[in-house]
Amino acid sequence: MAGTPSITLNNGLTMPQVGFGVFQIPEAETAAAVSTALEAGYRSIDTAAAYANEAGVGAALKASGVPRDELFITTKLWNSDQGYDQTLRAFDASVARLGLDVLDLYLIHWPTPKRGKYLDTWRALDNLYQQGRIRAIGVSNFLPEHLRAVADLGGTVPAVNQIEVHPQLQQRAAQEANAALGVVTEAWSPLAQAGVLDDPAITSIATAHDRTPAQVVLRWHVQQGRVIIPKSVTPERIRQNLALFDFELTAEEMTAIDALECDGRTGPHPDHFN
Ligand code: NDP
């Protein structure tokens, strides 16, 4: 973890600011990708039950020999497992696939408001947290109204809200709502699934710093204080996406990237994904 800063969550736990995402990596290729990431120095891995590759992550963790207390492992509860009892069962299945006794961060993957189950689901996460089976609990894709409903339960406040953030979809209102409740914003698809990397505003900044466009976009996130979890199956890119802490974007360059906002959502809208 040397060289990679940590972010302190609202319960005092720290998590690396840069982690490794494994969405859309086939199970058979996941262990190799995660092994490459661990060798490159990543210590935070972001998976989900829905990615169907938790066992591959677990195999790489076990083979790595990295001490457990240096790792920060996140997985997520899938929509069809929402509800109090189903959540408890789904958690057991996820940690078994990962080969872990205690999980670092468990997230509700989507609020799926039409199901009307996310508050009961949150109570189950809180129960697992109180038992010490998870070190921090959080949510993903929660809009401010969903987040406030969870906070209003009066139990544990989510430590993290993992939402889509990149230059073309900055979700400033959602980030402010997170911050107001003491919830860390974690950006998914931080590179817009590579869709922002050939924008001239990005490529010109990259040229000026002798960095790649991906590094410029990831550095923009880092300077704004978010946790990021870029995904790659390409070893050179895996290493490059962690090399973000020996250069700095100017205020003008940050503003130029901010100006790329265009409501460019790559994934579903949380209100309509059920
Ligand atoms: P990213 O924004 O991380 O982009 C990944 C894409 O960018 C891949 O095509 C990858 O190619 C390419 N890429 C990565 N690094 C570079 C580089 N240095 N130069 C050029 N191209 C690069 O997209 P994801 O959607 O994967 O998001 C990241 C993570 O966020 C996921 O893996 C997952 O963990 C999480 N996530 C969470 C969601 C949620 O609902 N909570 C939804 C979506 C994602 P290649 O692999 O071929 O190298």
Side-chain angles (χ1 to χ4, degrees):
M1 244 183 290
T4 304
S6 287
I7 299 281
T8 302
L9 307 179
N10 59 15
N11 67 351
L13 190 68
T14 58
M15 79 180 285
Q17 190 172 10
V18 186
F20 183 67
V22 300
F23 178 44
Q24 292 176 320
I25 305 183
E27 170 86 314
E29 296 163 34
T30 299
V34 172
S35 296
T36 302
L38 293 170
E39 278 160 27
Y42 291 79
R43 290 295 176 264
S44 168
I45 310 292
D46 182 87
T47 183
Y51 303 167
N53 58 18
E54 290 171 311
V57 172
L61 298 179
K62 192 173 172 194
S64 73
V66 176
R68 176 66 186 92
D69 63 5
E70 287 184 21
L71 296 167
F72 190 99
I73 309 303
T74 301
T75 193
K76 313 184 193 83
L77 176 91
W78 187 236
N79 303 342
S80 54
D81 287 322
Q82 283 206 26
Y84 194 91
D85 292 331
Q86 295 93 313
T87 295
L88 299 179
R89 283 196 290 274
F91 174 79
D92 284 340
S94 277
V95 288
R97 284 189 291 266
L98 286 163
L100 299 175
D101 296 325
V102 175
L103 182 69
D104 297 289
L105 179 63
Y106 199 36
L107 305 178
I108 302 177
H109 207 144
W110 291 88
T112 64
K114 273 205 185 119
R115 290 174 188 256
K117 289 184 172 178
Y118 67 83
L119 295 178
D120 269 348
T121 303
W122 183 257
R123 290 188 184 95
L125 259 65
D126 205 1
N127 176 348
L128 292 162
Y129 174 62
Q130 301 301 337
Q131 289 179 49
R133 301 197 62 200
I134 316 172
R135 298 170 74 216
I137 51 177
V139 294
S140 178
N141 299 302
F142 273 43
L143 298 173
E145 76 225 55
H146 309 132
L147 197 58
R148 278 192 287 269
V150 169
D152 285 348
L153 288 173
T156 303
V157 173
V160 168
N161 187 10
Q162 184 184 112
I163 58 176
E164 180 178 353
V165 183
H166 46 72
Q168 296 170 338
L169 182 80
Q170 297 176 29
Q171 305 230 53
R172 290 174 195 151
Q175 291 197 59
E176 281 166 22
N178 291 344
L181 288 165
V183 179
V184 166
T185 298
E186 180 176 27
W188 65 252
S189 295
L191 300 170
Q193 300 207 331
V196 72
L197 301 182
D198 52 8
D199 189 292
I202 305 284
T203 54
S204 65
I205 297 170
T207 303
H209 286 271
D210 197 18
R211 295 286 168 155
T212 68
Q215 287 175 314
V216 167
V217 173
L218 296 174
R219 179 69 204 183
W220 168 81
H221 285 282
V222 162
Q223 283 183 218
Q224 293 188 346
R226 283 180 292 280
V227 174
I228 49 172
I229 43 171
K231 169 266 178 187
S232 177
V233 293
T234 313
E236 180 51 34
R237 292 174 175 175
I238 291 172
R239 288 188 283 273
Q240 168 191 132
N241 293 348
L242 199 57
L244 307 174
F245 300 99
D246 56 353
F247 72 108
E248 191 166 1
L249 303 179
T250 65
E252 291 74 25
E253 289 166 340
M254 294 293 288
T255 303
I257 300 174
D258 286 345
L260 299 179
E261 165 66 49
C262 60
D263 199 22
R265 201 178 279 281
T266 67
H269 190 289
D271 258 340
H272 308 133
F273 189 61
N274 287 286

